[in-house]
Amino acid sequence: MSDQQKVPGTSEEPQFDRKQLIKLLVELGPLVVFFIGNSRFGIFAGTGAFMVATVISLVASRILLGRIATMPLVTGVFVLVFGGLTLWLQDDHFIKIKPTIVNGLFAAILIAGLLSGRLFLKIVFGDVMRLSEEGWRILTLRWALFFVFLAILNEVMWRFFSTDTWVAFKVFGIMPITFLFALAQIGLLKKHESAADNRPNAS
């Protein structure tokens, strides 16, 4: 879901937006720090470095982008809470279950919104994308199920593989999987964006 799309009703073509590169670096940076810290000094040192890098990334996002997006902010809070528990109790289970809880929370929020008639993706991305109501509902359901998938995948990775493998997959596996999933939604976006544009009185 990117704001690099062509604006409906105009002839402007999508152009490279340096803010997208900054956003990618801000979000990926703490994960790379986590991977390096874990590989060199172990999971606890990696967790501490991850927490520091997360705070820096949120501050950088506020300074460079003018805002902190909701998902990175929520994730950052969980990193600090579960990372703090990991270091305090010297138990790496806390940092390992953090992705499960965060993804489960996002899935629960989206599903609760669907059941209550509130399309949270539309609220967050409505200024970026114009979709029909059906399009927003389908997209919301797909992302909710994808978050459930990520939660289950994290459980499998940390329970059945080594800590180093889990960290490596968290850093180098989750983002490509998420990127491919987002790409797979392009057909849906085009279909329901067109439907929204063709509605009477669509603006």
Side-chain angles (χ1 to χ4, degrees):
M1 292 176 288
S2 171
D3 54 5
Q4 300 275 341
Q5 297 178 6
K6 178 178 177 181
V7 178
T10 72
S11 59
E12 297 181 3
E13 294 297 325
Q15 296 181 353
F16 174 77
D17 186 346
R18 70 183 186 88
K19 286 188 176 181
Q20 294 302 312
L21 178 59
I22 294 174
K23 181 180 178 182
L24 177 63
L25 293 175
V26 166
E27 294 181 359
L28 185 59
L31 292 175
V32 174
V33 170
F34 185 36
F35 174 77
I36 295 174
N38 174 75
S39 62
R40 287 181 174 270
F41 306 107
I43 186 64
F44 297 112
T47 298
F50 188 27
M51 294 169 64
V52 173
T54 296
V55 173
I56 293 174
S57 73
L58 293 176
V59 173
S61 179
R62 182 67 179 87
I63 294 174
L64 298 175
L65 302 177
R67 62 187 293 268
I68 301 176
T70 302
M71 289 181 63
L73 179 59
V74 172
T75 300
V77 170
F78 275 86
V79 167
L80 296 180
V81 171
F82 283 83
L85 289 172
T86 296
L87 298 181
W88 182 33
L89 300 175
Q90 289 294 289
D91 186 344
D92 62 5
H93 286 88
F94 290 102
I95 197 65
K96 289 178 177 178
I97 65 172
K98 188 273 297 179
T100 301
I101 295 175
V102 170
N103 286 309
L105 176 63
F106 286 145
I109 290 173
L110 292 180
I111 292 173
L114 277 175
L115 295 176
S116 63
R118 292 177 61 83
L119 300 173
F120 291 115
L121 285 187
K122 181 179 180 180
I123 294 173
V124 176
F125 297 105
D127 292 336
V128 177
M129 298 182 297
R130 180 186 300 154
L131 302 177
S132 65
E133 288 297 304
E134 181 185 7
W136 283 116
R137 285 194 294 271
I138 296 174
L139 188 64
T140 298
L141 179 59
R142 288 185 180 182
W143 274 99
L145 294 177
F146 181 68
F147 284 130
V148 171
F149 165 74
L150 289 182
I152 295 173
L153 183 59
N154 182 69
E155 285 296 295
V156 171
M157 292 304 299
W158 81 260
R159 289 179 184 275
F160 297 103
F161 295 89
S162 69
T163 295
D164 288 344
T165 299
W166 172 77
V167 172
F169 183 78
K170 176 178 172 61
V171 177
F172 301 110
I174 295 299
M175 184 164 289
I177 290 174
T178 303
F179 179 71
L180 290 175
F181 174 79
L183 283 181
Q185 309 313 307
I186 290 177
L188 172 71
L189 299 182
K190 288 183 176 180
K191 175 181 177 181
H192 288 278
E193 183 179 52
S194 300
D197 289 340
N198 291 333
R199 289 180 306 177
N201 300 323
S203 56

